[in-house]
Amino acid sequence: MFDIHREEIEWGGRTLVLETGKIARQADGAVLATYGDTTVLAAVVAAKEPKPGIDFLPLTVHYQEKYYAAGKIPGGYFKREGRPTEKETLVSRLIDRPIRPLFVSGFRCDTQVIATVLSHDLENDPDVVAMVASSAALTLSGAPFMGPIGAARVGYIDGEYVLNPMLDQLEQSSLDLVVAGTGDAVLMVESEAQELPEDVMLGAVMHGHKGFQPVIDAIIRLAERAAKEPRDIAVADNSEIEAKVSEIGAKGLADAYKIAAKTERQDAVAAVKEQVMAALAPADAAEGGNGEVYDKQKVADAFKKLEKKIVRGSIIETGHRIDGRDLKTVRPILAEVGILPRAHGSALFTRGETQALVVATLGTGEDEQFIDALSGTYKERFLLHYNFPPYSVGETGRMGGAGRREIGHGKLAWRAIHPMLPEPTEFPYTLRAVSEITESNGSSSMATVCGTSLALMDAGVPLKRPVAGIAMGLILEEDGKYAVLSDILGDEDHLGDMDFKVAGTDQGITSLQMDIKIAGITEEIMQIALEQAQGGRMHILGEMSKALNTARPELGEHAPRIEVITIPVDKIREVIGSGGKVIREIVEKTGAKINVEDDGTIKVASADGKAIKAALDWIKSIVAEPEVGAIYRGKVVKVVDFGAFVNFFGPRDGLVHISQLSKGRPEKVTDVVKEGDEVYVKLVGLDDRGKVRLSMKVVDQETGEEDDAGQAA
């Protein structure tokens, strides 16, 4: 029934198995990849006919985690997996980025990759396994995919690179880097690092590239036995159209790309395109337009190709870019902080025509986000949300929830800032930063990094060091000539070959992301890009320091204050009370927010310092033990024939025997006290049964001071 083909290799200390022919046989390509006990099924289908009216590859990648993979049932009311989680969205992008450049140019058939996590051993992250499975499935599918690619994770522990570290090892690693590429070059990098130097980061990339070569070889061996026949892709000869487009529009385009301002440049380019379309694909063609008429899509494709040729050629030949800068100069920067009066922290970061308004908000433990993941549920105290409204590029558009781009850019900035956050014990706040991109012309994610760093410091968050980011570009021609560009514009991103984003401090790199639009780049080019990015990052940090270079010493007046105490674990029940009765009463009476952790850590928060003090005093009175010999002020709660019971320490009551009420023994207890009286008592000691013994006669009831005369009596 099944025609099963299988490849098995030892990789990074575990066994990697690639199998095809048994599951999902109606897909164009399907591979079951198992690494350790983590298993991912990747299935690929590509439509037989191209999608009409589009000028791009309609590729979609879906990575999905099934809770049964870890023996779990989804939380919440609906016991079914719902909309993609942040992790699923990020891994979908992780798979998409290195495979997209490897499809044959001009392929326009709907293509879908679905990677499903079927088993998770809680040791090996499924993301790299999904990338390998997807690469193998594409290679077998017959689609025009110029792969395969390999992928690997690299850690850096005790000065040594670790290939595919397990999840528990990553906790000790100063680097979490995922790299993907072909046998010859690197295509994609995604990472978070603890201020590592450029040479260590480059070494990690190359270690990963070398490390996944056995995976590529295994996929090739599998494909030699199981791959479908490759599709025939007819490459149209559009040289005649391209020549005519160049003849009509080359000079106008060259002049348009000399205009520095983005909006004016776009208007000029649009005018040239309109002229070309009117000449070669007129709207009245059906009614007998003048001259030969060509397909509109082909003319548009040729125009885009001419744009690319003019911009790239000018940069290579002259060393000057669209806006007149040289290759290394960063656009003018203006950093401002404290611009919103009610926000806890705010910053406006403007770099050329890219601008990010970032707002920081401080919260309590109640504001932490619960993340329900395959590896278990955990709480996240740092949230960074990135928004890209259409007006930022002068357009109209749909407004809705965050898309893949917003989630990806936000996570990149999160990775850059996260290593520099203070420890929760030092700064016990939940942190949320929101980046509103108000203008965009190149690298709004790196503007978000800079703005977030400033906004958090403006809110009083003691970052270890400020963080800045810069986006690098690349023009690489077929003859080997290339130019590395610092702080790229949007047009340079679209028409270039690389988007290389580096974020970090003056001490080292905290995040590195790279996407290549060609078949990959060499170690030499990456080294030059890293060195050039370091110079740009230092310049940006200098400009940011003009606004703020360290955290403000005090929190903003509208930010909550948090005090932290630790109580014995066996006292937690007393603080919370039966059904939460005690802690609710404390919150209601003081107005403070209280968060109790399982380890006995209690966080008390309020914008009012008096409320915090009242709540802390209350909690301390519950958990503290009274001291023998100390004097307390209490209230008489019950009178009996042989004495009075006084509530003197939190919920604790003690007996003042009739002989200890006053210097001379009274005939009746009520001659001295009655219920509700407030009195001073001294804790004399505990009897054999642990009962509290109190005395009033040794304390001056007026002053609360110990009375020597009473002691003598």
Side-chain angles (χ1 to χ4, degrees), residues 411-472:
K411 190 63 176 182
L412 171 59
W414 184 95
R415 289 191 178 104
I417 299 292
H418 184 249
M420 292 296 100
L421 294 178
E423 295 298 323
T425 52
E426 176 189 355
F427 195 74
Y429 288 85
T430 297
L431 310 174
R432 183 188 185 222
V434 179
S435 175
E436 306 286 358
I437 302 305
T438 50
E439 298 178 17
S440 181
N441 185 15
S443 194
S444 55
S445 63
M446 294 297 95
T448 294
V449 170
C450 300
T452 299
S453 178
L454 290 167
L456 289 173
M457 291 191 296
D458 185 50
V461 179
L463 296 183
K464 297 171 187 175
R465 274 169 289 280
V467 185
I470 186 171
M472 310 297 293

Side-chain angles (χ1 to χ4, degrees), residues 7-18 33-36 38 124-133 149-154 162-166 178-180 207-219 221:
E7 280 293 325
E8 182 175 320
I9 62 171
E10 287 300 311
W11 185 44
R14 278 90 79 201
T15 301
L16 173 68
V17 179
L18 302 177
T34 301
Y35 192 48
T38 293
N124 299 286
D125 197 311
D127 55 1
V128 168
V129 185
M131 296 174 76
V132 170
I149 65 162
R153 172 171 270 103
V154 179
V162 179
L163 184 68
N164 293 337
M166 294 186 181
V178 176
V179 57
H207 183 82
H209 181 259
K210 180 181 178 182
F212 62 60
Q213 295 308 311
V215 175
I216 292 178
D217 295 339
I219 294 174
R221 290 195 299 271

Side-chain angles (χ1 to χ4, degrees), residues 608-627:
D608 182 359
K610 292 181 180 179
I612 293 178
K613 184 178 184 304
L616 286 175
D617 289 346
W618 196 327
I619 293 169
K620 289 175 181 177
S621 73
I622 295 173
V623 302
E625 295 291 339
E627 297 179 21

Side-chain angles (χ1 to χ4, degrees), residues 579-619:
K581 178 181 178 181
V582 174
I583 199 167
R584 282 200 304 271
E585 184 181 4
I586 299 173
V587 170
E588 290 170 4
K589 294 285 180 64
T590 66
K593 287 186 177 181
I594 302 173
N595 180 259
V596 182
E597 303 288 347
D598 292 340
D599 63 356
T601 300
I602 297 183
K603 299 175 184 178
V604 181
S606 175
D608 182 359
K610 292 181 180 179
I612 293 178
K613 184 178 184 304
L616 286 175
D617 289 346
W618 196 327
I619 293 169

